[in-house]
Amino acid sequence: MDFLRPDLQERLMKDHFEFRKLMEEHKAADTRLGDLQRKPSLTAKESLEEVELKKTKLRAKERIYRIVEEASKHGDQ
């Protein structure tokens, strides 16, 4: 995520449970999405899963962004 400085990410991963959980969720969804996208074709069920994974990644990224924004506002840089 281009908006996330490595030092801030490291600190939030250590100190912020929700942030850590969202990062793990985002990574897991990204990994599974990559698996699906490497397949030559998808079943109907896999296509639905692909859509849900994209939504999961987006929701996680939006929340991560808000957490980072909040941490920056409070001088937690």
Side-chain angles (χ1 to χ4, degrees):
M1 292 179 212
D2 54 341
F3 61 87
L4 189 52
R5 293 188 335 263
D7 60 322
L8 182 56
Q9 178 179 344
E10 183 179 330
R11 191 179 57 71
L12 287 171
M13 286 292 286
K14 184 177 132 198
D15 299 337
H16 198 288
F17 174 78
E18 182 185 10
F19 178 85
R20 184 173 51 252
K21 183 179 175 197
L22 288 164
M23 289 293 285
E24 291 168 358
E25 183 178 298
H26 187 276
K27 183 177 179 169
D30 191 48
T31 299
R32 178 62 181 144
L33 192 54
D35 293 344
L36 290 174
Q37 291 173 339
R38 283 189 288 281
K39 294 180 97 176
S41 64
L42 299 177
T43 65
K45 184 178 178 181
E46 288 170 331
S47 292
L48 288 174
E49 181 183 6
E50 181 182 38
V51 170
E52 289 304 313
L53 287 167
K54 288 178 179 180
K55 289 178 184 179
T56 296
K57 281 183 60 177
L58 182 59
R59 280 191 301 268
K61 187 174 183 177
E62 288 172 344
R63 180 64 184 131
I64 288 166
Y65 183 81
R66 287 193 301 272
I67 291 170
V68 168
E69 198 173 52
E70 189 66 25
S72 295
K73 283 181 186 176
H74 287 90
D76 296 339
Q77 301 174 10

